[in-house]
Amino acid sequence: MGKQPLHAKLGHLLRIMTKVRVLLADSHPQVRTQLAARLQREEDIELVAQASNSGQMLRLTLSNPPDVLLIDPVMQDGFGLANLRQIVSRLPALAVVVLTAYVDTALKIELNRMGINQILSKGLASENLIDVIRSMAHTAIST
């Protein structure tokens, strides 16, 4: 096994030093538990908070903005989209990744109007989700 090039070592070190801060918002406890466990396995991702309803999501996001908001906006309290709209208007540079089991045309149009284009299925492989989170965080940081 050969030595790792210096740029690869530095890239790895930089990812660890600059952790992507993620806030997870989903009204389903099992989904939150599974996603949290998966995110916490990544050394360059820090799960800073979890919200079980849209009110918590709004308070937590505005009080300590993460790099990435990972959200299922179809929340049981019925205010997911309305509170997400407030967050996006107050924090326009925030990277938002929607992860949902339910996407219809109306929801997709509403999310696109808010500037949210990362709308993913909950059936997505976790490795792909991690890649999207990293990509969104780095895009948000560089803009």
Side-chain angles (χ1 to χ4, degrees), residues 11-81:
H12 175 74
L13 186 59
L14 185 59
R15 277 194 307 278
I16 294 170
M17 290 174 50
T18 57
K19 288 189 175 195
V20 176
R21 300 175 68 251
V22 176
L23 189 149
L24 170 59
D26 196 299
S27 58
H28 297 97
Q30 284 182 304
V31 172
R32 270 195 328 277
T33 300
Q34 290 173 351
L35 284 172
R38 179 61 181 95
L39 293 171
Q40 289 169 339
R41 289 198 314 251
E42 299 300 316
E43 58 188 11
D44 63 328
I45 294 178
E46 178 184 5
L47 183 60
V48 294
Q50 295 184 49
S52 62
N53 62 60
S54 65
Q56 283 180 335
M57 173 193 67
L58 181 64
R59 280 190 308 280
L60 292 168
T61 303
L62 295 178
S63 66
N64 188 16
D67 299 316
V68 176
L69 173 60
L70 178 60
I71 176 179
D72 183 348
V74 184
M75 293 198 165
Q76 292 175 352
D77 64 11
F79 297 105
L81 277 176

Side-chain angles (χ1 to χ4, degrees), residues 62-138:
L62 295 178
S63 66
N64 188 16
D67 299 316
V68 176
L69 173 60
L70 178 60
I71 176 179
D72 183 348
V74 184
M75 293 198 165
Q76 292 175 352
D77 64 11
F79 297 105
L81 277 176
N83 285 340
L84 181 57
R85 196 174 298 109
Q86 284 187 53
I87 290 168
V88 169
S89 70
R90 292 183 191 182
L91 302 170
L94 177 66
V96 178
V97 176
V98 169
L99 186 67
T100 187
Y102 176 78
V103 178
D104 66 6
T105 304
L107 176 62
K108 195 169 188 175
I109 289 170
E110 180 64 25
L111 292 168
N112 288 158
R113 282 186 186 144
M114 286 187 245
I116 299 168
N117 299 310
Q118 287 296 333
I119 306 165
L120 309 173
S121 166
K122 283 187 176 174
L124 182 72
S126 65
E127 296 80 22
N128 294 341
L129 175 60
I130 298 298
D131 289 343
V132 169
I133 290 170
R134 287 181 180 131
S135 173
M136 292 294 290
H138 296 301

